[in-house]
Amino acid sequence: MKTKRIIEASHRLSKSYRVTGERKFRLKDVDPGDTGELKSDDKQRAREALQNGVTALAELQDVLYAQDRWSLLLIFQAMDAAGKDGTIKHVMSGVNPQGCQVFSFKSPTSEDLDHDFLWRCFKQLPERGRIGIFNRSYYEDTLVVRVHPEFLAGQKIPLKFVTKDIWKDRFQDIRAFERYLHRNGTAVVKFFLHVSKDEQQKRFLERLDDPDKNWKFSANDAKERGFWDDYMEAYEDTIRQTATEDSPWYVVPADNKWFTRVVVAAAIVDTLASMKLSYPKVSAAKRQELAEVRKSLLRTK
């Protein structure tokens, strides 16, 4: 009963941040500092909500693994310092490592560039019964590459296909790819952790001021801030063009990490619950076999 209540609460919370393409999405309509019905002094309630979500997620993951029919792909995209790593760490803290795979996609290698832009992610897709997590993904090719079109040259695409419609073509390819995955039992859920420019600056300065966090910072992080407006435009168009009912985006306010994690956990719980998962049914023959094994065990000391 407790899990049922958590699932219902997760649905109510997460639906506010879900984008499915039914209406025209505008990034400016999402406040990075939004915390829903919770206030800054409700952090204890948020921690309890997160723990409830983590517990329900662990239970649902166990059934997902046992049923071995669905798989779940979680994609995390964000500007630097939005909290992707911390969100993944906290939300997935109760998940059985056997049923979860995490991949971080950095700059493409020479091998990656000798293939299509989906290839390096395609080969890391989760198996049935497992949850796959992409920390960045093929969406970098409609974001970073769009903001820095000079990167297209390194992809060695035949020039006849590098036209003014290339982003429209990539959106079409991504929609088709995600539709294909869904039809074959891989649910795709995408998260954009929406941090404000001011909050990013604050977090960058904290990293610079704390020696233990210096390793997280690179000069390129600050350089990319100069392209902030271009990135926001690219994110808005990407979300608008690739959000579907079967493969939605969740645009999650990220200025308050404690709230971000609650929303992400709620969205994952809601997605797993929508799969109507159940443990495999044991046949009559199997039950008879187990009964015989039980008798045998009781006879031996």
Side-chain angles (χ1 to χ4, degrees):
M1 184 60 71
K2 180 180 178 181
T3 300
K4 183 179 179 181
R5 289 198 301 269
I6 295 172
I7 289 171
E8 291 171 350
S10 295
H11 176 72
R12 288 194 301 271
L13 174 61
S14 62
K15 69 178 181 180
S16 300
Y17 304 97
R18 179 183 169 120
V19 182
T20 60
E22 294 175 351
R23 62 185 187 278
K24 198 166 186 179
F25 169 74
R26 295 186 183 279
L27 193 56
K28 68 179 179 61
D29 293 337
V30 182
D31 177 8
D34 177 34
T35 55
E37 297 179 356
L38 299 173
K39 306 304 176 185
S40 58
D41 54 356
D42 289 329
K43 289 185 180 180
Q44 181 57 38
R45 282 180 57 201
R47 281 192 286 269
E48 292 171 0
L50 176 58
Q51 187 53 55
N52 287 337
V54 169
T55 299
L57 173 54
E59 292 180 17
L60 290 165
Q61 186 229 1
D62 191 62
V63 188
L64 175 78
Y65 187 77
Q67 189 184 62
D68 198 31
R69 285 192 177 274
W70 281 94
S71 58
L72 175 61
L73 175 61
L74 307 174
I75 294 176
F76 288 85
Q77 295 287 158
M79 296 295 285
D80 292 314
K84 295 191 309 303
D85 293 350
T87 298
I88 293 169
K89 175 183 175 181
H90 284 80
V91 173
M92 308 306 290
S93 61
V95 171
N96 185 339
Q98 279 189 300
C100 185
Q101 307 155 309
V102 183
F103 297 97
S104 294
F105 294 96
K106 307 294 185 182
S107 298
T109 65
S110 58
E111 182 183 20
D112 294 333
L113 292 172
D114 272 333
H115 292 82
D116 63 272
F117 78 95
L118 290 170
W119 177 79
R120 65 175 180 158
C121 295
F122 191 95
K123 63 179 183 171
Q124 306 295 1
L125 290 171
E127 305 165 33
R128 297 195 190 281
R130 288 172 168 79
I131 298 174
I133 300 172
F134 285 179
N135 188 338
R136 303 195 188 278
S137 66
Y138 45 84
Y139 279 106
E140 293 294 283
D141 286 88
T142 67
L143 298 167
V144 177
V145 178
R146 186 170 184 173
V147 173
H148 298 285
E150 63 271 19
F151 291 161
L152 273 174
Q155 295 186 348
K156 297 182 279 190
I157 302 168
L159 293 180
K160 63 182 287 188
F161 299 120
V162 184
T163 70
K164 62 181 178 61
D165 293 324
I166 189 167
W167 310 119
K168 178 181 176 181
D169 294 341
R170 288 196 170 182
F171 292 142
Q172 185 179 61
D173 292 338
I174 288 172
R175 289 195 301 269
F177 175 60
E178 292 178 350
R179 183 170 62 246
Y180 163 81
L181 292 179
H182 183 81
R183 287 175 176 173
N184 284 275
T186 296
V188 183
V189 178
K190 298 144 334 187
F191 296 97
F192 171 50
L193 306 190
H194 185 27
V195 69
S196 67
K197 192 174 184 181
D198 287 345
E199 179 63 21
Q200 187 198 54
Q201 181 189 49
K202 175 184 172 184
R203 293 180 187 180
F204 277 171
L205 291 172
E206 287 174 353
R207 290 180 180 183
L208 289 169
D209 293 340
D210 185 349
D212 291 337
K213 292 183 178 180
N214 285 172
W215 65 273
K216 288 186 175 183
F217 191 84
S218 73
N220 191 61
D221 294 340
K223 179 182 176 183
E224 289 301 287
R225 276 175 59 81
F227 299 94
W228 186 274
D229 291 343
D230 295 327
Y231 273 112
M232 293 303 103
E233 182 179 342
Y235 267 111
E236 181 175 90
D237 198 30
T238 291
I239 293 167
R240 186 182 293 171
Q241 297 295 333
T242 60
T244 66
E245 185 65 38
D246 292 330
S247 301
W249 277 95
Y250 286 87
V251 180
V252 185
D255 277 8
N256 297 281
K257 295 178 181 179
W258 55 271
F259 184 71
T260 304
R261 295 162 186 171
V262 173
V263 175
V264 170
I268 299 172
V269 167
D270 187 44
T271 302
L272 288 171
S274 72
M275 295 177 182
K276 308 299 182 186
L277 302 168
S278 62
Y279 286 106
K281 293 183 178 179
V282 179
S283 66
K286 182 67 174 179
R287 286 198 299 271
Q288 180 61 38
E289 177 187 341
L290 295 176
E292 294 300 322
V293 171
R294 177 181 172 79
K295 291 178 183 178
S296 175
L297 286 171
L298 289 173
R299 286 195 299 266
T300 59
K301 294 184 179 179

